[in-house]
Amino acid sequence: MSQHSGSEAAATEERSGPKTERGRRTLRRLLDAAGEEFGTRGYHETAISNITQSAGVGLGTFYVYFKSKEEVFKALVADMGARTRHALSESVKDAPNRLEAERLGIQAYVEFVRSHKALYRIVMEAQFVAPEAYRAYYRTFSEAYRQQLAQASKRGEISDGNDDVRVWALMGASTFLGLKFGIWDDAADIGAVSEAAADLMINGLAPRAKKGDAS
Amino acid sequence: MSQHSGSEAAATEERSGPKTERGRRTLRRLLDAAGEEFGTRGYHETAISNITQSAGVGLGTFYVYFKSKEEVFKALVADMGARTRHALSESVKDAPNRLEAERLGIQAYVEFVRSHKALYRIVMEAQFVAPEAYRAYYRTFSEAYRQQLAQASKRGEISDGNDDVRVWALMGASTFLGLKFGIWDDAADIGAVSEAAADLMINGLAPRAKKGDAS
DNA sequence: TCGGAACCTGAATGTTGACTCATGTTTCAA
DNA sequence: TTGAAACATGAGTCAACATTCAGGTTCCGA
């Protein structure tokens, strides 16, 4: 965790990160422990002492690395955003077209949620604990997504439409599917779910036109 | 608030509700104040004394009507669920078919969110404060929705598909649209949003088949 | 008119937990 | 080897509530 982008780690500390190897190790332990604790007990039910105990360091050590409880939380949200984007862009990177990309994206997303339940919860709770971080998370997401749709639309792979609205609807759909089938019903068959979901996103609810149905 | 179903109000009090008119008035004041405070400051940032002051009653009075802070919160979530379902079923009640119902439903939902921002926030926060109430909220919702889809499917108004998955995808889409265009961008043109969203849900992203496109 | 039920109150209690700080210990460049 | 920067620590401080309770006040049927 947190080794993805130096810039994020930097924002985590007052001025630049830890100077020594020992320091970097401790920081990583704290971030991992915080992710685990926040993710399972929730922000308000997690005490700093829970985190430091879980990390195996003294209570005071926490404040060597973070200004406040909220600050770690924000760092985790940003980290989760970077990871999710990475996982998604990987999963989609060699899709032949946008429709196929949607299918793959949904599947990858639900799988990702399922295998990162704790961090996923953190993102959701950010809506109330760190609203700005939450909005930033979805803003970044939606901007990239909208661009994808606009390009696909230009290539004729998808119909024209209000991409801003579409993006939010699609993100919402994925989010809820992640919650329902990634967290709550985590025994569900992800393949079937993403198949059905992709079908809905691609073809909609409307009845299929029958062959030779000119009307 | 809370005058919708006697059964909910009953669950709110230890044994049956207030006996006198004065009592009923006080209860209503407390519920309204709690909705307002929780909705704007959030659950954890709201103190019982905030609620009682806002309601214009003494601190102790709160505990005449509720066992705990969490209890009012749950009551509010249930109340919001009943209201939302009511608003939606009203808006959809004379739709000629399911596709039109989807369009109307989305529009009504975003409008409802926009005009009940505080209570809407409470429902979302319930995910962390009262998870069981949150799941119940969506369970009730999804069951009714799924039935609607199944019937429409039988009538041939929509295609066949995995309704369980579809329902969650559609609820997610509406929820996010409500968040984005009902709360965050509350100046957006709801008509345009619901139009675009309904188009997505009905026709999907796939390019429109051109006239005489038999392939 | 009276008594008890229903209702109201806010000071006091007790707990919880974020954050500070004075005092070490470790690391490492000179 | 050494001193200062970096790191580690946990007891103690302090403010913020949720909830209780003992002592009222108001209402209403008999």
Side-chain angles (χ1 to χ4, degrees), chain B residues 111-149:
Chain B
E111 270 167 3
F112 187 77
V113 167
R114 192 175 280 186
S115 58
H116 294 79
K117 292 196 179 95
L119 289 192
Y120 184 67
R121 183 198 161 130
I122 290 176
V123 171
M124 313 240 259
E125 195 165 14
Q127 187 172 4
F128 305 99
V129 173
E132 198 34 65
Y134 182 79
R135 293 179 64 144
Y137 178 93
Y138 282 109
R139 192 182 323 120
T140 304
F141 234 94
S142 67
E143 275 161 14
Y145 205 160
R146 184 170 45 222
Q147 226 167 9
Q148 294 298 315
L149 288 190

Side-chain angles (χ1 to χ4, degrees), chain A residues 19 22 26 58 60-61 65:
Chain A
K19 298 294 185 233
R22 178 169 65 138
T26 303
T61 303
Y65 295 91

Side-chain angles (χ1 to χ4, degrees), chain A residues 82-97:
Chain A
R83 287 205 206 193
T84 307
R85 286 192 295 279
H86 183 256
L88 281 188
S89 66
E90 272 303 300
S91 80
V92 156
K93 77 164 180 290
D94 31 39
N97 57 56

Side-chain angles (χ1 to χ4, degrees), chain A residues 26-57:
Chain A
T26 303
L27 173 57
R28 196 163 315 138
R29 282 165 143 243
L30 280 171
L31 280 168
D32 286 345
E36 183 63 23
E37 296 292 319
F38 282 146
T40 53
R41 319 160 80 109
Y43 181 81
H44 293 282
E45 286 64 42
T46 297
I48 303 296
S49 63
N50 292 144
I51 295 173
T52 54
Q53 270 168 33
S54 163
V57 302

Side-chain angles (χ1 to χ4, degrees), chain B residues 37-50:
Chain B
E37 295 292 319
F38 282 146
T40 52
R41 319 160 81 109
Y43 181 81
H44 293 283
E45 287 64 42
T46 297
I48 302 297
S49 63
N50 293 144

Side-chain angles (χ1 to χ4, degrees), chain B residues 12 39 45 51 86 107 109 151 159-160 166:
Chain B
T12 282
E45 287 64 42
I51 295 173
H86 182 256
Q107 166 131 6
Y109 184 74
Q151 286 170 8
S159 64
D160 287 334
R166 284 169 156 185

Side-chain angles (χ1 to χ4, degrees), chain A residues 70-82 85 122-141, chain B residues 184:
Chain A
E70 207 177 307
E71 209 201 38
V72 223
F73 191 83
K74 286 181 189 160
L76 289 171
V77 173
D79 187 56
M80 183 63 175
R85 286 192 295 279
I122 289 175
V123 172
M124 313 240 258
E125 195 165 13
Q127 189 171 3
F128 305 98
V129 173
E132 199 32 67
Y134 182 80
R135 293 179 64 145
Y137 177 93
Y138 282 108
R139 191 181 324 119
T140 304
F141 235 94
Chain B
W184 289 348

